[in-house]
Amino acid sequence: MVEKRLYLFKDGELFFNDFVLVIDGDDFKNKSLHYVHLGEKTTTVGAETFEGNYLTQIHFHKKIKWIESRAFANNRIEKIVFSRLEVPVIAKDAFVGNPVSLIIVPYETLDDYKKVLSQVDFDQPVDIRSNIEMKFMKLNEEKVEDTVIMIKAFPIYGTYTWRIEKEEIADLETQMRKDENRYDFGEIELNNTFYNIYKDGHNHIFIYRKNDQGYQDVTFEDFKTIYNDARKALL
């Protein structure tokens, strides 16, 4: 049971304090909820906790470890997002009674998620895609002139977080001119494609493509090649 001072109902949305570790009890069943903002440090969603609402999507943050029996049963959930690298324990019937069609998971553990989620009951076939692939799809839909899609890797607590971003070419070149006399710039060839790379003083890594025709967008296939073939050498 979550103390009432640690959550807020507002216009069909439910907001939890980020420090709530376990969300359980009967207070959130059949409440006509349309969206739930889980706490960023939530580790557990208890059995039947959000059953019987109108939720259409749910985002699990990086601390989630357990999703118990019928935790989200009988909602309208179509999309689920997982941010945690390590796959949580998910009850077989955690999402029954929902039209789930898309699940987004971290690229680094995509295969692990697919294995676990294959044991979970869904009402229809589910498309499981990585966060990186979805980011490329979104950026490719945004047609903005004089921009380029590039890869960035940032060290956080000893491991690197990968990001895909669309940058203004003018801003990118300005930053590189400022950095070129202080930091290492290089080039790597993978599968007959050349990638430009530089690392700044904070060990942030920037990867982009440029040839005689100018800047080229980095693609999802490029990312997979870099991650699988060159990741250790780059980091």
Side-chain angles (χ1 to χ4, degrees), residues 212-227:
D212 294 340
Q213 285 73 48
Y215 288 94
Q216 309 293 319
D217 285 333
V218 176
T219 68
F220 180 54
E221 293 303 316
D222 291 329
F223 176 85
K224 290 193 292 185
T225 297
I226 291 167
Y227 187 88

Side-chain angles (χ1 to χ4, degrees), residues 2-167:
V2 182
E3 295 181 45
K4 290 187 176 181
R5 65 184 180 85
L6 296 177
Y7 63 85
L8 171 68
F9 283 108
K10 184 178 180 181
D11 299 328
E13 294 190 55
L14 178 59
F15 300 80
F16 285 95
N17 185 294
D18 282 340
F19 293 94
V20 175
L21 301 183
V22 178
I23 300 175
D24 60 5
D26 296 327
D27 291 343
F28 314 117
K29 293 176 62 175
N30 305 310
K31 297 296 184 181
S32 300
L33 291 171
H34 290 273
Y35 198 88
V36 171
H37 302 264
L38 300 177
E40 291 192 2
K41 295 188 178 182
T42 297
T43 63
T44 306
V45 179
E48 303 179 11
T49 300
F50 295 109
E51 185 172 359
N53 284 289
Y54 302 132
L55 306 179
T56 58
Q57 60 179 297
I58 188 74
H59 184 176
F60 295 104
H61 299 292
K62 294 182 179 180
K63 299 293 184 178
I64 192 70
K65 295 181 180 180
W66 295 280
I67 305 170
E68 298 182 354
S69 177
R70 300 185 65 83
F72 293 90
N74 299 330
N75 276 269
R76 301 174 181 177
I77 298 172
E78 299 178 356
K79 176 182 174 182
I80 303 171
V81 178
F82 289 95
S83 295
R84 181 179 173 84
L85 284 179
E86 184 179 348
V87 186
V89 176
I90 307 172
K92 185 178 178 65
D93 59 351
F95 298 102
V96 295
N98 286 280
V100 179
S101 59
L102 175 64
I103 301 179
I104 302 172
V105 304
Y107 178 85
E108 295 90 333
T109 48
L110 173 62
D111 290 339
D112 295 335
Y113 269 95
K114 285 184 174 180
K115 182 177 180 180
V116 170
L117 290 169
S118 69
Q119 305 302 313
V120 177
D121 288 337
F122 293 103
D123 291 9
Q124 61 185 28
V126 176
D127 190 9
I128 304 172
R129 294 177 179 260
S130 75
N131 55 343
I132 299 294
E133 181 179 7
M134 296 303 295
K135 188 60 181 289
F136 271 108
M137 291 174 62
K138 179 180 179 181
L139 292 179
N140 283 319
E141 291 173 355
E142 299 174 0
K143 303 300 182 183
V144 182
E145 292 186 3
D146 299 321
T147 62
V148 62
I149 298 174
M150 61 186 299
I151 298 169
K152 297 181 180 180
F154 299 94
I156 300 178
Y157 300 118
T159 61
Y160 271 81
T161 296
W162 296 82
R163 298 179 187 171
I164 312 304
E165 297 184 2
K166 181 172 284 190
E167 291 283 348

